[in-house]
mmCIF file of all heavy atoms in Angstrom:
data_model
loop_
_atom_site.group_PDB
_atom_site.id
_atom_site.type_symbol
_atom_site.label_atom_id
_atom_site.label_comp_id
_atom_site.label_asym_id
_atom_site.label_seq_id
_atom_site.Cartn_x
_atom_site.Cartn_y
_atom_site.Cartn_z
ATOM 1 N N SER A 1 -4.194 -4.173 -6.308
ATOM 2 C CA SER A 1 -4.845 -3.145 -7.104
ATOM 3 C C SER A 1 -4.719 -1.799 -6.405
ATOM 4 O O SER A 1 -4.705 -1.732 -5.178
ATOM 5 C CB SER A 1 -6.332 -3.479 -7.311
ATOM 6 O OG SER A 1 -7.007 -3.508 -6.073
ATOM 7 N N GLY A 2 -4.592 -0.757 -7.182
ATOM 8 C CA GLY A 2 -4.510 0.577 -6.613
ATOM 9 C C GLY A 2 -3.150 0.904 -6.031
ATOM 10 O O GLY A 2 -2.991 1.880 -5.318
ATOM 11 N N ASP A 3 -2.130 0.091 -6.324
ATOM 12 C CA ASP A 3 -0.770 0.351 -5.861
ATOM 13 C C ASP A 3 -0.710 0.528 -4.346
ATOM 14 O O ASP A 3 -0.053 1.418 -3.827
ATOM 15 C CB ASP A 3 -0.201 1.591 -6.566
ATOM 16 C CG ASP A 3 1.310 1.698 -6.404
ATOM 17 O OD1 ASP A 3 1.967 0.644 -6.266
ATOM 18 O OD2 ASP A 3 1.828 2.837 -6.423
ATOM 19 N N ALA A 4 -1.416 -0.341 -3.617
ATOM 20 C CA ALA A 4 -1.435 -0.254 -2.150
ATOM 21 C C ALA A 4 -0.774 -1.471 -1.530
ATOM 22 O O ALA A 4 -1.152 -1.923 -0.460
ATOM 23 C CB ALA A 4 -2.872 -0.122 -1.661
ATOM 24 N N SER A 5 0.245 -2.019 -2.211
ATOM 25 C CA SER A 5 0.842 -3.285 -1.793
ATOM 26 C C SER A 5 1.475 -3.221 -0.411
ATOM 27 O O SER A 5 1.595 -4.230 0.286
ATOM 28 C CB SER A 5 1.893 -3.718 -2.821
ATOM 29 O OG SER A 5 1.309 -3.874 -4.094
ATOM 30 N N SER A 6 1.909 -2.031 0.008
ATOM 31 C CA SER A 6 2.626 -1.915 1.274
ATOM 32 C C SER A 6 1.697 -1.842 2.490
ATOM 33 O O SER A 6 2.168 -1.791 3.616
ATOM 34 C CB SER A 6 3.516 -0.670 1.249
ATOM 35 O OG SER A 6 2.732 0.500 1.091
ATOM 36 N N ASN A 7 0.355 -1.852 2.269
ATOM 37 C CA ASN A 7 -0.581 -1.697 3.381
ATOM 38 C C ASN A 7 -1.106 -3.026 3.905
ATOM 39 O O ASN A 7 -2.058 -3.043 4.682
ATOM 40 C CB ASN A 7 -1.761 -0.822 2.935
ATOM 41 C CG ASN A 7 -1.321 0.568 2.539
ATOM 42 O OD1 ASN A 7 -0.355 1.091 3.091
ATOM 43 N ND2 ASN A 7 -2.013 1.171 1.600
ATOM 44 N N TYR A 8 -0.505 -4.135 3.499
ATOM 45 C CA TYR A 8 -1.044 -5.440 3.842
ATOM 46 C C TYR A 8 0.028 -6.343 4.460
ATOM 47 O O TYR A 8 1.228 -6.071 4.392
ATOM 48 C CB TYR A 8 -1.611 -6.128 2.589
ATOM 49 C CG TYR A 8 -2.755 -5.395 1.937
ATOM 50 C CD1 TYR A 8 -2.537 -4.474 0.904
ATOM 51 C CD2 TYR A 8 -4.060 -5.610 2.345
ATOM 52 C CE1 TYR A 8 -3.584 -3.801 0.308
ATOM 53 C CE2 TYR A 8 -5.130 -4.940 1.747
ATOM 54 C CZ TYR A 8 -4.881 -4.040 0.729
ATOM 55 O OH TYR A 8 -5.920 -3.375 0.140
ATOM 56 N N ARG A 9 -0.466 -7.434 5.045
ATOM 57 C CA ARG A 9 0.387 -8.507 5.524
ATOM 58 C C ARG A 9 0.163 -9.702 4.612
ATOM 59 O O ARG A 9 -0.975 -9.998 4.242
ATOM 60 C CB ARG A 9 0.022 -8.870 6.966
ATOM 61 C CG ARG A 9 0.919 -9.926 7.603
ATOM 62 C CD ARG A 9 2.257 -9.351 7.972
ATOM 63 N NE ARG A 9 3.098 -10.340 8.669
ATOM 64 C CZ ARG A 9 4.379 -10.163 8.901
ATOM 65 N NH1 ARG A 9 4.979 -9.043 8.505
ATOM 66 N NH2 ARG A 9 5.079 -11.069 9.533
ATOM 67 N N TYR A 10 1.259 -10.379 4.222
ATOM 68 C CA TYR A 10 1.153 -11.457 3.248
ATOM 69 C C TYR A 10 1.706 -12.763 3.804
ATOM 70 O O TYR A 10 2.628 -12.773 4.632
ATOM 71 C CB TYR A 10 1.943 -11.112 1.979
ATOM 72 C CG TYR A 10 1.550 -9.814 1.328
ATOM 73 C CD1 TYR A 10 2.269 -8.645 1.569
ATOM 74 C CD2 TYR A 10 0.463 -9.752 0.462
ATOM 75 C CE1 TYR A 10 1.917 -7.451 0.968
ATOM 76 C CE2 TYR A 10 0.103 -8.564 -0.146
ATOM 77 C CZ TYR A 10 0.830 -7.410 0.114
ATOM 78 O OH TYR A 10 0.475 -6.239 -0.478
ATOM 79 N N GLU A 11 1.140 -13.851 3.316
ATOM 80 C CA GLU A 11 1.699 -15.179 3.519
ATOM 81 C C GLU A 11 2.156 -15.683 2.154
ATOM 82 O O GLU A 11 1.403 -15.618 1.177
ATOM 83 C CB GLU A 11 0.665 -16.116 4.116
ATOM 84 C CG GLU A 11 1.223 -17.492 4.449
ATOM 85 C CD GLU A 11 0.192 -18.389 5.134
ATOM 86 O OE1 GLU A 11 -1.017 -18.181 4.895
ATOM 87 O OE2 GLU A 11 0.603 -19.274 5.895
ATOM 88 N N VAL A 12 3.398 -16.163 2.065
ATOM 89 C CA VAL A 12 3.953 -16.635 0.809
ATOM 90 C C VAL A 12 4.461 -18.060 0.987
ATOM 91 O O VAL A 12 4.887 -18.453 2.082
ATOM 92 C CB VAL A 12 5.105 -15.728 0.322
ATOM 93 C CG1 VAL A 12 4.586 -14.354 -0.060
ATOM 94 C CG2 VAL A 12 6.186 -15.588 1.387
ATOM 95 N N ALA A 13 4.417 -18.832 -0.088
ATOM 96 C CA ALA A 13 4.862 -20.228 -0.028
ATOM 97 C C ALA A 13 5.536 -20.592 -1.345
ATOM 98 O O ALA A 13 5.026 -20.264 -2.425
ATOM 99 C CB ALA A 13 3.685 -21.158 0.243
ATOM 100 N N LEU A 14 6.679 -21.260 -1.240
ATOM 101 C CA LEU A 14 7.453 -21.692 -2.405
ATOM 102 C C LEU A 14 7.236 -23.186 -2.632
ATOM 103 O O LEU A 14 7.233 -23.976 -1.683
ATOM 104 C CB LEU A 14 8.941 -21.411 -2.173
ATOM 105 C CG LEU A 14 9.909 -21.926 -3.247
ATOM 106 C CD1 LEU A 14 9.737 -21.137 -4.545
ATOM 107 C CD2 LEU A 14 11.360 -21.830 -2.754
ATOM 108 N N TYR A 15 7.073 -23.561 -3.909
ATOM 109 C CA TYR A 15 6.865 -24.961 -4.268
ATOM 110 C C TYR A 15 7.860 -25.385 -5.344
ATOM 111 O O TYR A 15 8.163 -24.617 -6.269
ATOM 112 C CB TYR A 15 5.443 -25.173 -4.804
ATOM 113 C CG TYR A 15 4.365 -24.995 -3.767
ATOM 114 C CD1 TYR A 15 3.910 -23.720 -3.437
ATOM 115 C CD2 TYR A 15 3.820 -26.090 -3.115
ATOM 116 C CE1 TYR A 15 2.925 -23.538 -2.477
ATOM 117 C CE2 TYR A 15 2.822 -25.928 -2.156
ATOM 118 C CZ TYR A 15 2.383 -24.656 -1.842
ATOM 119 O OH TYR A 15 1.406 -24.484 -0.889
ATOM 120 N N ARG A 16 8.362 -26.612 -5.206
ATOM 121 C CA ARG A 16 9.110 -27.273 -6.279
ATOM 122 C C ARG A 16 8.221 -28.402 -6.761
ATOM 123 O O ARG A 16 7.978 -29.381 -6.050
ATOM 124 C CB ARG A 16 10.452 -27.822 -5.786
ATOM 125 C CG ARG A 16 11.310 -28.413 -6.910
ATOM 126 C CD ARG A 16 12.654 -28.909 -6.419
ATOM 127 N NE ARG A 16 12.526 -30.035 -5.498
ATOM 128 C CZ ARG A 16 12.690 -29.967 -4.196
ATOM 129 N NH1 ARG A 16 13.005 -28.814 -3.620
ATOM 130 N NH2 ARG A 16 12.541 -31.032 -3.429
ATOM 131 N N GLY A 17 7.681 -28.215 -7.961
ATOM 132 C CA GLY A 17 6.646 -29.139 -8.401
ATOM 133 C C GLY A 17 5.421 -28.955 -7.522
ATOM 134 O O GLY A 17 4.909 -27.854 -7.354
ATOM 135 N N ASN A 18 4.950 -30.051 -6.910
ATOM 136 C CA ASN A 18 3.796 -29.982 -6.009
ATOM 137 C C ASN A 18 4.191 -29.971 -4.543
ATOM 138 O O ASN A 18 3.327 -29.987 -3.660
ATOM 139 C CB ASN A 18 2.863 -31.173 -6.269
ATOM 140 C CG ASN A 18 2.227 -31.128 -7.642
ATOM 141 O OD1 ASN A 18 1.882 -30.059 -8.139
ATOM 142 N ND2 ASN A 18 2.091 -32.290 -8.276
ATOM 143 N N SER A 19 5.487 -29.963 -4.263
ATOM 144 C CA SER A 19 5.973 -30.038 -2.881
ATOM 145 C C SER A 19 6.286 -28.641 -2.342
ATOM 146 O O SER A 19 7.005 -27.867 -2.991
ATOM 147 C CB SER A 19 7.229 -30.906 -2.805
ATOM 148 O OG SER A 19 6.959 -32.223 -3.247
ATOM 149 N N GLN A 20 5.745 -28.332 -1.171
ATOM 150 C CA GLN A 20 6.046 -27.046 -0.545
ATOM 151 C C GLN A 20 7.454 -27.073 0.025
ATOM 152 O O GLN A 20 7.831 -27.983 0.749
ATOM 153 C CB GLN A 20 5.036 -26.744 0.553
ATOM 154 C CG GLN A 20 5.257 -25.394 1.229
ATOM 155 C CD GLN A 20 4.183 -25.060 2.238
ATOM 156 O OE1 GLN A 20 3.023 -24.889 1.885
ATOM 157 N NE2 GLN A 20 4.564 -24.989 3.507
ATOM 158 N N VAL A 21 8.222 -26.042 -0.301
ATOM 159 C CA VAL A 21 9.617 -25.948 0.129
ATOM 160 C C VAL A 21 9.782 -24.992 1.298
ATOM 161 O O VAL A 21 10.539 -25.249 2.240
ATOM 162 C CB VAL A 21 10.514 -25.494 -1.052
ATOM 163 C CG1 VAL A 21 11.962 -25.317 -0.596
ATOM 164 C CG2 VAL A 21 10.428 -26.496 -2.199
ATOM 165 N N HIS A 22 9.047 -23.897 1.268
ATOM 166 C CA HIS A 22 9.229 -22.863 2.295
ATOM 167 C C HIS A 22 7.967 -22.014 2.378
ATOM 168 O O HIS A 22 7.306 -21.753 1.369
ATOM 169 C CB HIS A 22 10.426 -21.976 1.941
ATOM 170 C CG HIS A 22 10.664 -20.848 2.895
ATOM 171 N ND1 HIS A 22 11.007 -21.051 4.210
ATOM 172 C CD2 HIS A 22 10.599 -19.492 2.723
ATOM 173 C CE1 HIS A 22 11.156 -19.881 4.809
ATOM 174 N NE2 HIS A 22 10.909 -18.929 3.936
ATOM 175 N N LYS A 23 7.614 -21.581 3.611
ATOM 176 C CA LYS A 23 6.479 -20.683 3.831
ATOM 177 C C LYS A 23 6.902 -19.590 4.799
ATOM 178 O O LYS A 23 7.673 -19.842 5.732
ATOM 179 C CB LYS A 23 5.268 -21.436 4.385
ATOM 180 C CG LYS A 23 4.038 -20.551 4.617
ATOM 181 C CD LYS A 23 2.893 -21.314 5.245
ATOM 182 C CE LYS A 23 2.198 -22.173 4.220
ATOM 183 N NZ LYS A 23 0.950 -22.794 4.777
ATOM 184 N N ALA A 24 6.409 -18.371 4.574
ATOM 185 C CA ALA A 24 6.808 -17.245 5.431
ATOM 186 C C ALA A 24 5.729 -16.173 5.378
ATOM 187 O O ALA A 24 4.807 -16.225 4.555
ATOM 188 C CB ALA A 24 8.145 -16.678 4.988
ATOM 189 N N GLU A 25 5.845 -15.188 6.274
ATOM 190 C CA GLU A 25 4.988 -14.010 6.281
ATOM 191 C C GLU A 25 5.857 -12.774 6.093
ATOM 192 O O GLU A 25 7.009 -12.733 6.534
ATOM 193 C CB GLU A 25 4.216 -13.896 7.598
ATOM 194 C CG GLU A 25 3.206 -14.999 7.810
ATOM 195 C CD GLU A 25 2.408 -14.810 9.092
ATOM 196 O OE1 GLU A 25 2.502 -13.710 9.699
ATOM 197 O OE2 GLU A 25 1.698 -15.747 9.495
ATOM 198 N N THR A 26 5.304 -11.768 5.425
ATOM 199 C CA THR A 26 6.046 -10.540 5.176
ATOM 200 C C THR A 26 5.070 -9.384 4.991
ATOM 201 O O THR A 26 3.911 -9.590 4.625
ATOM 202 C CB THR A 26 6.941 -10.673 3.923
ATOM 203 O OG1 THR A 26 7.627 -9.437 3.675
ATOM 204 C CG2 THR A 26 6.115 -11.026 2.691
ATOM 205 N N SER A 27 5.530 -8.172 5.246
ATOM 206 C CA SER A 27 4.733 -6.970 4.999
ATOM 207 C C SER A 27 5.158 -6.277 3.717
ATOM 208 O O SER A 27 4.634 -5.213 3.380
ATOM 209 C CB SER A 27 4.873 -5.991 6.177
ATOM 210 O OG SER A 27 4.328 -6.545 7.354
ATOM 211 N N SER A 28 6.101 -6.874 3.003
ATOM 212 C CA SER A 28 6.570 -6.322 1.740
ATOM 213 C C SER A 28 5.932 -7.067 0.582
ATOM 214 O O SER A 28 5.509 -8.218 0.721
ATOM 215 C CB SER A 28 8.093 -6.438 1.655
ATOM 216 O OG SER A 28 8.555 -6.073 0.376
ATOM 217 N N ALA A 29 5.867 -6.418 -0.576
ATOM 218 C CA ALA A 29 5.318 -7.061 -1.772
ATOM 219 C C ALA A 29 6.425 -7.740 -2.572
ATOM 220 O O ALA A 29 6.384 -7.762 -3.805
ATOM 221 C CB ALA A 29 4.590 -6.032 -2.628
ATOM 222 N N ARG A 30 7.394 -8.308 -1.871
ATOM 223 C CA ARG A 30 8.493 -9.031 -2.520
ATOM 224 C C ARG A 30 9.104 -9.995 -1.521
ATOM 225 O O ARG A 30 9.003 -9.802 -0.306
ATOM 226 C CB ARG A 30 9.559 -8.055 -3.030
ATOM 227 C CG ARG A 30 10.177 -7.191 -1.932
ATOM 228 C CD ARG A 30 11.182 -6.217 -2.485
ATOM 229 N NE ARG A 30 10.558 -5.245 -3.358
ATOM 230 C CZ ARG A 30 11.235 -4.331 -4.048
ATOM 231 N NH1 ARG A 30 12.543 -4.287 -3.976
ATOM 232 N NH2 ARG A 30 10.596 -3.466 -4.814
ATOM 233 N N TYR A 31 9.739 -11.039 -2.032
ATOM 234 C CA TYR A 31 10.373 -12.014 -1.151
ATOM 235 C C TYR A 31 11.451 -12.744 -1.944
ATOM 236 O O TYR A 31 11.264 -13.071 -3.119
ATOM 237 C CB TYR A 31 9.354 -13.020 -0.618
ATOM 238 C CG TYR A 31 9.836 -13.807 0.578
ATOM 239 C CD1 TYR A 31 9.676 -13.309 1.865
ATOM 240 C CD2 TYR A 31 10.465 -15.036 0.429
ATOM 241 C CE1 TYR A 31 10.119 -14.016 2.971
ATOM 242 C CE2 TYR A 31 10.910 -15.753 1.522
ATOM 243 C CZ TYR A 31 10.736 -15.243 2.788
ATOM 244 O OH TYR A 31 11.183 -15.942 3.885
ATOM 245 N N ASP A 32 12.589 -13.004 -1.297
ATOM 246 C CA ASP A 32 13.697 -13.700 -1.938
ATOM 247 C C ASP A 32 13.664 -15.176 -1.544
ATOM 248 O O ASP A 32 14.060 -15.539 -0.437
ATOM 249 C CB ASP A 32 15.027 -13.063 -1.529
ATOM 250 C CG ASP A 32 16.203 -13.683 -2.269
ATOM 251 O OD1 ASP A 32 15.966 -14.439 -3.231
ATOM 252 O OD2 ASP A 32 17.353 -13.419 -1.888
ATOM 253 N N PHE A 33 13.192 -16.005 -2.456
ATOM 254 C CA PHE A 33 13.123 -17.445 -2.203
ATOM 255 C C PHE A 33 14.423 -18.169 -2.569
ATOM 256 O O PHE A 33 14.553 -19.360 -2.280
ATOM 257 C CB PHE A 33 11.981 -18.065 -3.020
ATOM 258 C CG PHE A 33 10.611 -17.847 -2.434
ATOM 259 C CD1 PHE A 33 9.646 -17.139 -3.136
ATOM 260 C CD2 PHE A 33 10.283 -18.369 -1.194
ATOM 261 C CE1 PHE A 33 8.381 -16.959 -2.604
ATOM 262 C CE2 PHE A 33 9.018 -18.188 -0.651
ATOM 263 C CZ PHE A 33 8.066 -17.478 -1.357
ATOM 264 N N TYR A 34 15.359 -17.479 -3.217
ATOM 265 C CA TYR A 34 16.515 -18.185 -3.763
ATOM 266 C C TYR A 34 17.278 -19.023 -2.731
ATOM 267 O O TYR A 34 17.687 -20.151 -3.045
ATOM 268 C CB TYR A 34 17.475 -17.207 -4.446
ATOM 269 C CG TYR A 34 18.657 -17.914 -5.072
ATOM 270 C CD1 TYR A 34 18.503 -18.679 -6.226
ATOM 271 C CD2 TYR A 34 19.926 -17.842 -4.490
ATOM 272 C CE1 TYR A 34 19.578 -19.348 -6.789
ATOM 273 C CE2 TYR A 34 21.003 -18.513 -5.041
ATOM 274 C CZ TYR A 34 20.823 -19.266 -6.191
ATOM 275 O OH TYR A 34 21.885 -19.942 -6.735
ATOM 276 N N PRO A 35 17.512 -18.536 -1.506
ATOM 277 C CA PRO A 35 18.260 -19.370 -0.554
ATOM 278 C C PRO A 35 17.631 -20.740 -0.310
ATOM 279 O O PRO A 35 18.314 -21.653 0.164
ATOM 280 C CB PRO A 35 18.256 -18.521 0.723
ATOM 281 C CG PRO A 35 18.135 -17.114 0.239
ATOM 282 C CD PRO A 35 17.210 -17.212 -0.934
#
């Protein structure tokens, strides 16, 4: 909210169905899970 996405640290996790495939941390409001 408030377009302040770049001021935070994030944890992201990718799932296929209910299974976790990949987890990472980033300071950006985007992440490329395709690989």
Side-chain angles (χ1 to χ4, degrees):
S1 63
D3 195 29
S5 301
S6 62
N7 298 328
Y8 298 92
R9 184 75 176 169
Y10 304 97
E11 184 176 27
V12 293
L14 174 69
Y15 292 82
R16 185 178 65 255
N18 294 323
S19 300
Q20 182 175 295
V21 177
H22 177 64
K23 181 184 283 188
E25 294 183 11
T26 178
S27 295
S28 172
R30 59 182 65 185
Y31 196 87
D32 185 11
F33 282 118
Y34 182 72

